[in-house]
Amino acid sequence: MADRPGARAAIAAVTTEFEEFADTTAPGPDGAGDGPLSWVGYADSRARAAARTGEDESVVYGLASVGGRPCVLVSFEFGFLGGSLGQRTGDRLEAAYEAARVRALPLVSLIATGGSRMQEGMVALTQLQRVARASARLRAAGPAQLAVLRDPTTGGGWATLGAGADVILALPGAQVGFAGSRVRPPDADPHAYSAEGQLAAGQIDAVVPPDELPRTVAHWLRALRGTDSPAVPAPVPHALSTTGLPVTGWDAVRQARSPARPRAEAYLDAYFDHRLPLAGDRCGGTDPGLLCGFGWRDGRSIAYVAQCGTATRPAGYRTAARAVRLADRLGVPVLTLIDTPGAANDAAAERAGAGAAIADAFAAMAEARVPLTTLVIGEGGSGGALALAAPGNTHVTRDSYFSVIAPELAAAILKRTPDEVLATADQLRLRPQDLVELGFARSVVGPPGE
């Protein structure tokens, strides 16, 4: 415990601009003495914790500025009864969420907690419901919630403030999990309960070294800050290749499948001044073939979803839907880059809910109130690509195609011979210029200067 930074040290690590809220949560009849359960020695434990830490509860909260970006900041004091959540903790957390809602500011939580305070029994446990309600009210009002997971982040604190945040960052080596170290199975894999393990499982967005935390939090606060004016559509990226228009359908397929063609990473690097990743579907899955996040371009925030040329997995579609819905709530326009032969169709994908995940991506795009912009930069394989395409605002590069089905599969379904695949590609009218003529694409984009 001695080597774990306290609440105020954690605050000082991200900002020097912090104004603590006046405490209006003095204990009532149930919070006096040994608490609502009359737990013998509880008052003495609180007194010792206060003397040791200089705090009278397990959380500190107030107004802060991180990198010039205002927010409401909550920080846990692990030295005060293991950063546990009791009734007064719930009072303070609810007050912090409400302050963020009233001021229309994002909420940043620096979490270090062992869970609910057993000395207060069910009174402590029900504080999780209070936190969940306060979080829901803030979410409905719009402002973002960002969590920084310190060591440890376990129990109800992880399952509410932590996992319930829009963006989740963690410090290296932090213990993160619903089960604390003393209650999990003795043979459990410790990696599963670490920040790095949770990142691999799609539960958090990034593991951030301490010296990079202030800058990263500031970048996120800038990216997640919504606008009061209607969002302007994201500009269509320029093409990164000088390939000419394909003559035949199979030429289009061949150009889109070329290993030399620019991929999503190159497009994102050229498009954004700075970008921040959202990683994982929060359901235990990741898809390395799909990149999501928020980026900064020409002084404004744009969310992005980019396929990287592989078959998109269910976790990828769920992550994409998460990114689109967050951007929609914040009033941030969305750019999607299409490049996939289609949705993953192996048995593992079916067991992971491919159909439901694709349906959810379609729904997120259809429900979005912010402008959506799409550029097809490679393969546009059937519904697995269409799920992330902007209706009415999709553009294509010269080295791309979009088709109801791949030519080879179409020929197989129609019981055609392999030498008829090329003619089938022509029949499908999948070339970039065909897509414009059919009304699917608005334009064929070229490189800068054209």
Side-chain angles (χ1 to χ4, degrees), residues 292-303:
C292 293
F294 283 64
W296 199 252
R297 175 188 168 93
D298 296 335
R300 68 186 181 118
S301 181
I302 297 172

Side-chain angles (χ1 to χ4, degrees), residues 30-59:
D30 286 343
D34 283 332
L37 304 186
S38 298
W39 185 289
V40 175
Y42 179 37
D44 291 340
S45 295
R46 291 203 310 271
R48 288 192 297 271
R52 182 171 57 250
T53 64
E55 307 295 345
D56 59 0
E57 240 322 317
S58 59
V59 294

Side-chain angles (χ1 to χ4, degrees), residues 221-266:
L221 290 177
R222 181 176 67 168
L224 296 172
R225 183 67 173 169
T227 176
D228 295 329
S229 58
V232 177
V236 181
H238 292 294
L240 296 184
S241 69
T242 56
T243 303
L245 282 171
V247 176
T248 68
W250 189 250
D251 286 338
V253 174
R254 180 177 50 80
Q255 289 182 180
R257 293 177 179 173
S258 169
R261 175 180 53 78
R263 305 287 162 156
E265 283 270 17

Side-chain angles (χ1 to χ4, degrees), residues 410-428:
I413 291 172
L414 296 172
K415 298 182 180 179
R416 294 178 176 179
T417 60
D419 59 3
E420 295 179 279
V421 169
L422 276 63
T424 302
D426 287 331
Q427 284 184 290
L428 287 169

